[in-house]
């Protein structure tokens, strides 16, 4: 299988995984990958259930969303993916889905509390920004995504009223980051009636952030 065909199949596989997990419904969600030449990107098409996407449905576009190959049309939220790719040259994959628990917090305009799980700090740092609701194709939201992924050193953001956006070195890493945020959001909602989750001690957070850097994660690790 050629590299192109392999990437198409991988995008189709992760699209189905998003549907299997119950993180998308109807035509929700989208996924994309930066190709090796850094000028082309493969993306899932619009108006197609993630349950039904096959490799031959995947399209190729440039950073502005101009279709270079493929039979179907690009999704309208490409601008969010483009903002992530432009802001972070290290980002090779972007996933956007409506994971129920994390998306619920966004709908309530309630940010995730600082991580209460050590794994969260090492994998994602201490910031899961909640970005304000914005009109479709809003330059303000694109700017907010870029700032969150750079200035806030985030790898996952909650979009108020529009689910979760996760980035990674590849689709697997982006998926695992999204999975961890959804898992934590579920715990946060379960703990809310009992008084809420308790933050980790500051000295432990410092050690976990050092471990994050040592693992090559986050802004300090990338440097």
């Amino acid at each position: 299988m050629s590299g192109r065909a392999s990437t198409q199949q991988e995008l189709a596989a992760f699209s189905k995984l998003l549907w299997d997990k119950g993180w998308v419904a109807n035509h929700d969600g989208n996924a994309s990958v930066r190709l090796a030449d850094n000028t082309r990107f493969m993306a899932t098409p619009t108006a197609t259930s993630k349950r039904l996407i096959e490799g031959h449905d995947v399209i190729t576009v440039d950073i502005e969303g101009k279709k270079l190959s493929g039979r179907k049309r690009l999704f309208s939220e490409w601008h969010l993916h483009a903002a992530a790719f432009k802001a972070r040259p290290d980002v090779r994959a972007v996933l956007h889905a409506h994971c129920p628990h994390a998306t619920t917090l966004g709908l309530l305009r309630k940010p995730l509390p600082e991580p209460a799980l050590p794994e969260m700090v090492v994998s994602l740092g201490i910031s899961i920004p909640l970005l304000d609701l914005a009109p479709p194709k809003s330059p303000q939201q694109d700017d907010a995504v870029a700032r969150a992924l750079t200035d806030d050193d985030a790898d996952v953001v909650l979009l108020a009223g529009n689910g979760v956006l996760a980035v990674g070195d590849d689709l697997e890493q982006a998926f695992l980051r999204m999975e961890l945020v959804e898992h934590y959001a579920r715990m946060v909602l379960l703990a809310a009636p009992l008084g809420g989750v308790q933050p980790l001690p500051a000295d432990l957070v410092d050690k976990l952030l050092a471990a994050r850097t040592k693992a090559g994660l986050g802004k300090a690790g990338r440097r």
Side-chain angles (χ1 to χ4, degrees):
M1 183 181 294
S2 70
R4 175 185 174 85
S6 176
T7 302
Q8 289 173 315
Q9 292 300 327
E10 188 179 25
L11 274 163
F14 275 92
S15 294
K16 289 180 171 65
L17 184 55
L18 293 177
W19 186 85
D20 287 342
K21 296 281 285 187
W23 294 353
V24 293
N26 193 11
H27 297 157
D28 292 355
N30 29 71
S32 64
V33 170
R34 189 198 304 261
L35 298 181
D37 62 11
N38 290 321
T39 64
R40 295 177 302 146
F41 304 80
M42 282 190 176
T44 51
T46 190
T48 307
S49 168
K50 300 303 163 290
R51 172 177 60 91
L52 300 175
I53 289 178
E54 302 293 343
H56 58 74
D57 296 315
V58 171
I59 62 177
T60 304
V61 299
D62 65 15
I63 191 63
E64 303 305 327
K66 178 183 176 181
K67 187 167 73 171
L68 303 176
S69 67
R71 300 180 303 170
K72 298 193 174 186
R73 293 185 295 115
L74 180 64
F75 52 83
S76 62
E77 293 176 316
W78 171 253
H79 61 101
L80 295 174
H81 293 238
F85 286 126
K86 289 177 181 178
R88 291 266 301 274
D90 64 296
V91 166
R92 309 302 300 182
V94 179
L95 290 177
H96 178 208
H98 294 169
C99 317
H101 298 92
T103 300
T104 294
L105 291 173
L107 292 171
L108 294 170
R109 310 299 189 264
K110 293 185 179 296
L112 277 165
E114 289 190 3
L117 294 173
E119 294 83 358
M120 289 284 292
V121 179
V122 175
S123 295
L124 299 172
I126 57 174
S127 175
I128 311 293
L130 170 62
L131 306 187
D132 292 338
L133 184 66
K137 298 185 179 180
S138 164
Q140 291 82 6
Q141 186 160 65
D142 295 349
D143 291 344
V145 167
R147 285 195 303 272
L149 296 178
T150 53
D151 298 349
D152 292 340
D153 197 19
D155 292 314
V156 184
V157 297
L158 302 188
L159 305 171
N162 196 19
V164 182
L165 187 82
V167 304
D169 292 340
D170 51 29
L171 287 167
E172 174 71 9
Q173 187 179 58
F175 174 83
L176 290 174
R177 286 170 169 169
M178 184 176 284
E179 182 178 50
L180 184 53
V181 166
E182 171 64 1
H183 189 56
Y184 183 53
R186 182 169 183 265
M187 293 179 186
V188 168
L189 290 170
L190 287 171
L194 305 175
V197 298
Q198 299 301 303
L200 295 168
D203 59 339
L204 176 57
V205 170
D206 290 342
K207 292 177 181 178
L208 294 168
L209 287 173
R212 174 173 168 79
T213 298
K214 186 176 180 180
L217 300 171
K219 188 185 298 184
R222 291 193 296 273
R223 281 201 298 268

